[in-house]
Amino acid sequence: MNGAQALIRTLTRSGVDVCFSNPGTSEMHFVAALDAVPEMRGVLCLFEGVATGAADGYGRMAGRPAGALLHLGPGLGNGLANLHNARRARTPLLLVVGDHATYHKRFDAPLESDIEALAGTVSRWVRRSARSADVAADAAEAVAAAMRPPGGISTLILPADVSWSEGAEPAPPLPVRAPASAPPETVESVAGTLRSGEPCVLLLGGPAARRPGLEAASRVAQATGARLLCETFPARLERGAGIPGIDRLAYLAEFAAEQLAGARHLILAGAAAPVSFFAYPGKASSLIPAGAEVHVLAEPADDVSGALGRLAELAAPGTKPLAHEAERPELPSGDGHLTGDAVAAAVGALLPEGAIVSDEANTSGLWLPGATAGAPPHDWLTLTGGSIGQGLPVATGAAVACPGRPVLALEADGSAMYTLSALWTHAREGLDITTVIFNNRSYAILNMELNRVGAEPAGDAARNLLELSRPNLDFVALASGMGVPASRASTPGEFGAQLQQALAEPGPHLIEALIERIG
Amino acid sequence: MNGAQALIRTLTRSGVDVCFSNPGTSEMHFVAALDAVPEMRGVLCLFEGVATGAADGYGRMAGRPAGALLHLGPGLGNGLANLHNARRARTPLLLVVGDHATYHKRFDAPLESDIEALAGTVSRWVRRSARSADVAADAAEAVAAAMRPPGGISTLILPADVSWSEGAEPAPPLPVRAPASAPPETVESVAGTLRSGEPCVLLLGGPAARRPGLEAASRVAQATGARLLCETFPARLERGAGIPGIDRLAYLAEFAAEQLAGARHLILAGAAAPVSFFAYPGKASSLIPAGAEVHVLAEPADDVSGALGRLAELAAPGTKPLAHEAERPELPSGDGHLTGDAVAAAVGALLPEGAIVSDEANTSGLWLPGATAGAPPHDWLTLTGGSIGQGLPVATGAAVACPGRPVLALEADGSAMYTLSALWTHAREGLDITTVIFNNRSYAILNMELNRVGAEPAGDAARNLLELSRPNLDFVALASGMGVPASRASTPGEFGAQLQQALAEPGPHLIEALIERIG
């Protein structure tokens, strides 16, 4: 068989059976091979950033890689922003980047560029397959490398002739190492610190943001009085009624500093030491409180939940976790102006059990965490790397990974425009995704940041670059143009009714929420 | 003054007075400084690939750089595909990539990534400004480097604190070296070859595709019988009535081989030796005819038109160039199915004098060159690097560079979806751009390439990745959603009437041409 067929058969045997694709000529044998290997599902995306963001969302929910098929260096370039987010999320993800035939490279044809340099900025593993006889073994290694804890991006560069040449055979999957255990003396030392009576903050991140880690950490907090916090942008946070609730470290450094104030010990469980998202004149970059000692219970690549469980056995024997109560806000009604907090309340009132929330609401989403904390259990996926344009693609991949679960994409207007064609894939694949666009007609976060960085108040020229008006974006028209049924809400009553209906019907929907102000 | 103000003042003094912008927090002082330096025009783009493509279109038409303001590594990533095209076009272009403050880099905040690695793949000049006292001199050098013949991309990485710190002063512009002259013995040697009586092909590229180069080359062809050809994807080709017409080397290698067949001498004037766009099994990569000798009259960085002029003095004294006759197809009418050739005929019938055509019609545009060859003089901008998603952004920049000239964006459906939000900037800036979407509801070029690379005939799984249907894209709704008036044409009569009206009215318009088949 040819290299492409052997590659795809190897991938499906290794557990990679979805490939978000935006192919070109050099990938045509890969595309043709999909008919020979029906176990692989090809999902067409109209832009590479949608394909890579979808693979990120898939990997976060499935815990194993999806493929993303891209076309040479420029295709990889278009995919980089969401790969940046996936790298920060530590998502297992397999990139297949088609390239010119091996012997064609030296002619510097128009699409020639330095793929390795681009791939190196986001990947933990990069290889160019040299021969069709090698490509299957390369692919098996790529998948294993992507799965190695804590998870990451593998990039397999696939020359066209390696794809089309015969003489290839599928390769067996390679074993994946389990996460390492934190050493007993580390767990014991942290337990001792927690029992010291000095103020402690336990900062969770990575795999600790799932239910087992949260429950163990909650036990520790109950028994020792340690404060619990979660990293600002977790890849996947399990939350809702019956699960211990946890505040995320604030995006704004001044609020984060308040959350951490007074801590004498900062214990990291799968999280990095806290740092300001951006630098601001005269403010510190590190958020470690002055005089605090940092302890690392477990690195993201470790069995973080296991370490927390062992810590709970030592520091909180017999203590139960504190599960969040079931509680929902009332569904807002009335025909006043629509605000961010009314949208949040409606989401909290209606969020279905088992929902997956792809959250890129940015400034408009300020009230969402509070309004949804007691909703039925759900997963919350955040903007791990800060590169906007993630929300709609990640929702795509999450819906493909979890076909039985409703997906809610909560999306800011400015961010939506980076990768809007994800809506077409929602429609093409019939995905059960309800998208809410928070349309405040501005890059509101930048209006805030302009002030925070100490710049001059915005004049006309600056405002011109921060406002999304003149003309206003009409997201109902944009969604309709890509086959997604859409409606517009200007009042709490309209929004509540439209969200209720969209969640009740299968398939994709979009609601444009015209937000007067945040709350 | 602060670094941002000194930077922008230096840019305007160096001739850079437009900046296509997609800023974030780290660029807020740059944004604020725009109000202090009103000579700089900031143009908001909703996606970085629009900003970089617009800067490419601007530079191709203005002959001097526009700025593109991007947000850290992910912003640069989103801009890379159109920077790839700009690199191939040898467009003078100035990237300003905002980054974290110098002292914030080491904390590995979420948006941290390797900007230099990305910039290096497309730039001829990369520098990270270290202090506000240096940024103005760095900027002057960046502009001079971008302008150095034949033109290229300069990337200035601008840390936030370099932008916001005081103590900066504007720097004077630096001189730009003129293009080098081809040595007299080279010109004489090529003239001798042309007079040898052996079959010669004169392949023009880069600056030779402008009127002076075309006229000199036409004189040579008239006098010596040499065949004239232009590179496949010229950055800017001047053509139309009164200008010597020239065929472009075909995209498909088999047709290109026919155009070059029998040549004993291949003379390159600003063009690279011809090479197949992609590799195909069993076919050669190089398109140099067997036994042909390659002569380089002038490199792209040289004064190519000057070299052609001197060649004409030697090889064609007294000979006049052969100007293309004024001729237009009839405006198609009737209510039959709309085809690619009918659209091309309508464009040829109506193209205004001085128009700038941004051509990304791909397969659907097969008939355009013939139908427009005798239209009033105009410029034709092509997909230099093969990275799709160029057409609408390049039209944006061309319209900003040449406010008195009508711009026509001829755009394939699949390619349009990569950077569609350019339409919003067309509306925001009131640009006189008429966009024609050739909607054939497929990646038609890939259906063709699938066959050409010798892959299996497309089964359902492969077809699924090549068709843009289920759901169909509605470009009228998409354009309306971004504030661009739009209409749909299904017949030659409808298309002709709509194009006539769109060209008659100022400001942006979009026509969705539902193409039944190419011709």
Side-chain angles (χ1 to χ4, degrees), chain B residues 77-340:
Chain B
N78 280 334
L80 281 176
N82 274 331
L83 292 171
H84 172 86
N85 291 323
R87 179 172 78 90
R88 292 293 181 182
R90 304 187 191 93
T91 304
L93 197 159
L94 176 72
L95 286 183
V96 178
V97 182
D99 194 12
H100 286 309
T102 51
Y103 58 83
H104 197 65
K105 295 282 288 177
R106 60 183 288 274
F107 291 95
D108 193 34
L111 274 164
E112 180 65 32
S113 71
D114 188 347
I115 297 176
E116 276 86 348
L118 301 183
T121 67
V122 290
S123 310
R124 56 169 24 182
W125 185 100
V126 179
R127 184 173 300 161
R128 173 182 293 277
S129 274
R131 307 181 307 161
S132 57
D134 299 337
V135 69
D138 288 342
E141 210 179 303
V143 176
M147 288 291 291
R148 183 163 45 80
I153 299 171
S154 289
T155 300
L156 183 69
I157 303 173
L158 181 64
D161 55 337
V162 170
S163 206
W164 78 49
S165 297
E166 296 293 322
E169 290 300 328
L174 292 177
V176 176
R177 211 200 65 170
S181 290
E185 53 272 30
T186 300
V187 181
E188 282 157 23
S189 160
V190 169
T193 301
L194 285 160
R195 282 186 301 242
S196 70
E198 295 185 317
C200 292
V201 168
L202 182 52
L203 182 62
L204 308 188
R210 307 283 296 279
R211 191 169 194 144
L214 293 168
E215 290 185 340
S218 173
R219 291 173 58 198
V220 170
Q222 293 293 308
T224 68
R227 266 176 281 169
L228 269 193
L229 284 170
C230 176
E231 60 187 348
T232 309
F233 292 112
R236 177 181 176 185
L237 174 61
E238 286 190 41
R239 60 198 298 275
I243 301 171
I246 189 166
D247 283 342
R248 287 156 54 191
L249 197 68
Y251 166 76
L252 298 179
E254 43 272 46
F255 296 133
E258 279 181 32
Q259 291 173 295
L260 295 166
R264 177 71 190 83
H265 300 279
L266 181 58
I267 300 163
L268 304 177
V275 56
S276 177
F277 201 88
F278 289 108
Y280 301 95
K283 293 187 182 155
S285 291
S286 169
L287 296 175
I288 301 170
E293 195 179 336
V294 176
H295 309 257
V296 179
L297 173 68
E299 304 264 5
D302 297 338
D303 176 8
V304 186
S305 295
L308 283 165
R310 287 154 55 210
L311 182 67
E313 290 309 302
L314 290 178
T319 307
K320 298 272 180 231
L322 182 64
H324 204 290
E325 282 180 31
E327 55 178 6
R328 287 178 183 270
E330 265 191 68
L331 183 64
S333 59
D335 56 4
H337 288 307
L338 187 57
T339 57

Side-chain angles (χ1 to χ4, degrees), chain A residues 180-183 186-188 190 213 216 220 268-270 296-299 302-314:
Chain A
S181 289
T186 300
V187 181
E188 283 156 23
V190 169
V220 171
L268 305 177
V296 178
L297 173 69
E299 306 264 6
D302 297 337
D303 176 9
V304 186
S305 295
L308 284 165
R310 287 155 56 209
L311 182 67
E313 291 309 304
L314 290 177

Side-chain angles (χ1 to χ4, degrees), chain A residues 22 25 29 35 77 84 88 104 108 110 112 276 285 418 424 428 449 453 459 461-462 464 467 469-471 474 481, chain B residues 22 25 29 35 77 84 88 104 108 110 112 276 285 418 424 428 449 453 460-462 464 467 469-471 474 481:
Chain A
N22 188 259
T25 298
H29 283 85
D35 281 292
H84 172 86
R88 291 292 181 183
H104 196 66
D108 193 35
E112 179 66 31
S276 177
S285 291
Y418 286 71
W424 182 86
R428 160 67 82 92
E449 294 283 22
V453 298
N464 197 42
E467 288 174 2
S469 52
R470 295 169 297 118
D474 174 346
Chain B
N22 189 260
T25 297
H29 282 84
D35 281 292
H84 172 86
R88 292 293 181 182
H104 197 65
D108 193 34
E112 180 65 32
S276 177
S285 291
Y418 286 71
W424 182 85
R428 161 66 82 90
E449 295 283 23
V453 298
D460 287 346
N464 197 40
E467 287 175 1
S469 53
R470 296 167 296 119
D474 175 345

Side-chain angles (χ1 to χ4, degrees), chain B residues 432-505:
Chain B
D432 190 17
I433 301 173
T434 299
T435 296
V436 175
I437 303 286
F438 291 73
N439 190 352
N440 57 14
R441 294 176 174 161
S442 93
Y443 290 119
I445 197 166
L446 295 185
N447 275 302
M448 177 185 78
E449 295 283 23
L450 187 76
N451 179 259
R452 276 163 45 80
V453 298
E456 314 270 319
D460 287 346
R463 253 198 307 276
N464 197 40
L465 297 189
L466 304 178
E467 287 175 1
L468 291 172
S469 53
R470 296 167 296 119
N472 290 330
L473 290 159
D474 175 345
F475 283 95
V476 173
L478 292 169
S480 305
M482 290 188 273
V484 170
S487 59
R488 180 175 295 114
S490 310
T491 69
E494 286 172 5
F495 182 77
Q498 291 173 16
L499 183 60
Q500 204 154 24
Q501 190 183 340
L503 291 171
E505 290 174 2

Side-chain angles (χ1 to χ4, degrees), chain A residues 206-253:
Chain A
R210 306 284 295 280
R211 191 169 194 143
L214 294 168
E215 289 184 341
S218 173
R219 291 173 58 200
V220 171
Q222 294 293 308
T224 68
R227 266 176 281 169
L228 269 193
L229 285 169
C230 177
E231 62 188 347
T232 309
F233 291 112
R236 177 181 177 185
L237 174 61
E238 286 190 42
R239 59 198 299 273
I243 302 172
I246 189 166
D247 284 342
R248 287 156 54 190
L249 197 67
Y251 166 76
L252 297 179

